[in-house]
Amino acid sequence: MTVIPILLAMIGCAALDRPHSVNGPTGALPTLAPSGASDGPRVLLAPVSIVRSGNDITLRGNFPDDSAKVALMKTLNRSLPPGINIIDHIQLNPNVVALDFFNAGPVFQDSAPIPDFTLTVNADTIRLTGTAGSQAQKAGIDNDAKRIWSNLDVIDQLTVNGAPSCADCTRPSTP
């Protein structure tokens, strides 16, 4: 009878020794339940924000270790044009699970011309905001994010420069 609790404790300890990021290159990480699913495992990601204001990008949030943080920094440095300043306010917390930015280059490359681009992560949701220069740019960023993080909810709140806001779209037209 005591074998089962010991076995469960060993499995739990082994799970705690795993890397704490989602969608990493190793593939040995926990998976998320599909959007809206109530069954299956669900990982709650640590809150992270990547906020661009002109030539400055401010990073805030928690990462489990330096390797997760380095993946984000390398991706940003490879994806953004020269002259962008990265302001790092990332905290290390080994008790969190963070979104993996290892393959996120296309999102940041497509959003590089957007001076007010923001990507936020909260639980199992990624939110994209900012002002895209065209509908094609907006669609490209949205498609990249949904492909890279297919097991998360991606909410695209990017607007297109010169396009009506959602509030304008829902107003009844006057004759």
Side-chain angles (χ1 to χ4, degrees):
M1 266 321 203
T2 60
V3 172
I4 293 174
I6 292 171
L7 182 59
L8 290 174
M10 289 173 37
I11 292 170
C13 288
L16 292 175
D17 288 337
R18 291 173 142 184
H20 292 75
S21 59
V22 175
N23 287 343
T26 64
L29 302 171
T31 58
L32 295 169
S35 301
S38 59
D39 313 6
R42 181 173 172 194
V43 175
L44 299 179
L45 300 171
V48 172
S49 67
I50 301 168
V51 179
R52 181 165 178 192
S53 178
N55 287 334
D56 294 332
I57 293 182
T58 303
L59 311 176
R60 294 192 190 281
N62 291 298
F63 280 79
D65 53 40
D66 279 324
S67 65
K69 182 177 169 179
V70 166
L72 172 60
M73 298 299 252
K74 282 183 178 179
T75 298
L76 288 173
N77 285 323
R78 281 190 228 132
S79 303
L80 298 172
I84 300 295
N85 304 310
I86 298 175
I87 303 163
D88 178 9
H89 293 289
I90 297 290
Q91 303 285 320
L92 296 182
N93 178 348
N95 298 318
V96 301
V97 176
L99 182 65
D100 191 332
F101 289 94
F102 183 77
N103 294 318
V107 170
F108 295 111
Q109 289 167 352
D110 290 349
S111 66
I114 301 175
D116 64 344
F117 179 73
T118 298
L119 183 149
T120 57
V121 179
N122 192 10
D124 64 349
T125 302
I126 297 171
R127 188 173 309 275
L128 308 169
T129 60
T131 308
S134 68
Q135 188 62 39
Q137 183 182 42
K138 172 184 168 35
I141 296 166
D142 181 56
N143 291 336
D144 289 340
K146 287 178 177 173
R147 178 181 46 77
I148 293 164
W149 298 298
S150 60
N151 55 343
L152 299 171
D153 290 326
V154 175
I155 299 174
D156 178 359
Q157 293 182 322
L158 292 162
T159 59
V160 177
N161 194 14
S165 70
C166 290
D168 293 334
C169 297
T170 58
R171 284 189 198 148
S173 59
T174 54

